[in-house]
Amino acid sequence: MVGANIASIIVMLLVGYSGRLHPVDHPILSCVGLAFPALLLINLLFLLFWALVRLRLVWVPLLGFLVCYYPVTTYLPLHFLSEDTASSTLKILSYNVKDFDTDGRDIPGIHPACRYIVDSNADVVCMQEVMIGHKHLQPALETYPYKAEMTGNLWGSMVVLSRYPILKKERIPYPSDGNLSMAVTLDIDGEEVVVVNNHFQTSGLSADDKRDFREMMNGNKRNEIREESRHLLSILGESASLRARQVDKVAAYVRDHQDKPLILCGDFNETPISYSHETFARLLTDCYVATGNGVGWSYNSNRIHVRIDNVFCSPHWQPVKCEIDTKIHASDHFPIICYLKKHDN
């Protein structure tokens, strides 16, 4: 049992740092971060086992958490004490609204996602999968005096709403059929602040693939697990490779604008144990990791529960609080909200 525990820790360590592999060179291996929560759970079970069976060996799983401290706290941050948000100077909301999808239902009045945005009182709202001309977005457009749009195809378009003047917008160019990244420069009290809104390459899984995954999780396809897993990993690896090229372009843009206060957010379509997260974490602060609590699932559909929506900030800012609001069920994503305050010069 000790040997099994040590072996699981070694695997957890390797998987926890898999985000340092470039998906272009290692497309399949770069996806093993998806297994990290299972390995984390296994070590927790070992901790419980030793606590009940042989207390003197409880140091083994505790050592595992220690050597895997960085990936563990990246995936599962815990901050029981947080600052009062009254000290913040800027509230950021990032939300993939899924084109205000209603599943064919007729929704009278304001769409719940738009109502949430209007009631949020955020200073800057970054939305993915929406066009500025969408009928359900109009109440939010009337609330915010400044807005910017970048269009791809329908699900690739995005909108930024702001209480502060938008001085300019620009596309960060990278090859993609529908995903995109947009940078807007805001005038916040006379200072230029760059906000980068992203919607990186999707998982590539079709509706049928997600259905098959759901059936696997329900135990309905036991005889096909190996073949289905290979199929899913192949698709995820190809998508990770495409996403990495997009992430590299945005990371280069961030490095070129390090002299300005910068906020980067959006739908990354990758978990915290991934190349995209590792790349931006080397340049910026993950506001959820710095102040959030728990795994923070921001995507919840087809039995897939992951944190793929993020807010990062440059050293000019101090994250005060960051949370994922799971109370609003108006999209397959939950919104992520972050409070920032400027560091004193």
Side-chain angles (χ1 to χ4, degrees):
M1 291 298 290
V2 170
N5 195 175
I6 292 174
S8 71
I9 290 170
I10 292 172
V11 175
M12 183 169 66
L13 180 65
L14 294 174
V15 169
Y17 285 94
S18 62
R20 301 192 178 190
L21 297 173
H22 201 292
V24 172
D25 301 321
H26 308 280
I28 302 298
L29 285 177
S30 68
C31 297
V32 299
L34 293 168
F36 188 78
L39 295 164
L40 185 61
L41 178 60
I42 289 171
N43 203 49
L44 281 171
L45 292 175
F46 268 115
L47 180 65
L48 178 62
F49 174 79
W50 295 125
L52 295 175
V53 176
R54 191 166 296 181
L55 187 60
R56 66 185 178 85
L57 289 175
V58 78
W59 64 267
V60 179
L62 289 176
L63 180 63
F65 288 127
L66 182 62
V67 298
C68 298
Y69 178 81
Y70 174 74
V72 167
T73 54
T74 297
Y75 187 84
L76 182 64
L78 296 173
H79 299 91
F80 299 108
L81 299 176
S82 61
E83 285 192 59
D84 185 353
T85 56
S87 65
S88 65
T89 55
L90 196 68
K91 182 178 181 181
I92 304 291
L93 169 63
S94 179
Y95 195 2
N96 184 326
V97 297
K98 198 186 176 186
D99 193 39
F100 294 109
D101 185 22
T102 61
D103 293 324
R105 294 175 290 114
D106 182 28
I107 296 182
I110 300 179
H111 190 282
C114 187
R115 168 59 67 189
Y116 182 89
I117 291 167
V118 171
D119 293 343
S120 71
N121 200 33
D123 296 299
V124 181
V125 179
C126 294
M127 287 178 285
Q128 304 86 42
E129 294 193 37
V130 65
M131 289 182 173
I132 210 164
H134 199 295
K135 65 178 182 179
H136 288 309
L137 184 60
Q138 299 313 303
L141 296 177
E142 296 169 4
T143 302
Y144 285 86
Y146 305 100
K147 61 273 301 181
E149 178 188 40
M150 194 69 71
T151 57
N153 58 25
L154 182 61
W155 54 268
S157 300
M158 56 178 56
V159 172
V160 173
L161 306 178
S162 172
R163 299 194 186 281
Y164 297 97
I166 296 176
L167 302 178
K168 67 176 181 179
K169 70 172 183 178
E170 56 184 317
R171 184 189 298 265
I172 301 176
Y174 51 67
S176 175
D177 292 332
N179 301 94
L180 53 89
S181 295
M182 171 177 64
V184 297
T185 301
L186 308 180
D187 179 354
I188 299 182
D189 300 328
E191 183 176 33
E192 291 189 359
V193 174
V194 178
V195 176
V196 182
N197 188 14
N198 302 277
H199 187 207
F200 292 125
Q201 186 73 32
T202 58
S203 66
L205 299 179
S206 66
D208 289 340
D209 292 328
K210 293 178 181 179
R211 186 196 62 238
D212 291 342
F213 176 81
R214 185 172 63 250
E215 291 184 4
M216 279 175 49
M217 295 300 292
N218 290 334
N220 298 330
K221 303 185 73 172
R222 291 190 181 93
N223 297 330
E224 305 172 36
I225 286 179
R226 180 175 296 182
E227 183 179 346
E228 190 64 35
S229 297
R230 285 176 180 166
H231 170 68
L232 294 176
L233 274 176
S234 175
I235 295 173
L236 291 172
E238 183 179 352
S239 298
S241 179
L242 294 171
R243 190 182 306 112
R245 293 181 173 92
Q246 301 166 4
V247 167
D248 288 342
K249 291 290 187 180
V250 176
Y253 181 91
V254 170
R255 283 190 288 268
D256 289 342
H257 293 78
Q258 291 184 96
D259 57 320
K260 293 180 180 179
L262 185 143
I263 299 160
L264 180 141
C265 63
D267 178 0
F268 283 29
N269 277 307
E270 272 194 322
T271 73
I273 310 299
S274 64
Y275 176 76
S276 62
H277 189 280
E278 180 69 20
T279 298
F280 291 122
R282 293 179 183 180
L283 301 170
L284 305 166
T285 299
D286 183 327
C287 299
Y288 188 83
V289 171
T291 64
N293 264 310
V295 293
W297 291 331
S298 66
Y299 182 84
N300 184 8
S301 181
N302 294 292
R303 297 290 297 276
I304 301 172
H305 308 283
V306 285
R307 184 168 87 244
I308 60 176
D309 297 87
N310 298 279
V311 177
F312 284 79
C313 66
S314 67
H316 303 82
W317 303 95
Q318 176 185 336
V320 175
K321 181 179 180 181
C322 191
E323 60 185 356
I324 292 163
D325 193 341
T326 59
K327 296 187 294 293
I328 172 72
H329 296 269
S331 169
D332 54 355
H333 289 249
F334 295 126
I336 180 169
I337 306 126
C338 187
Y339 299 83
L340 304 173
K341 69 177 180 180
K342 280 297 296 296
H343 273 301
D344 296 331
N345 294 329

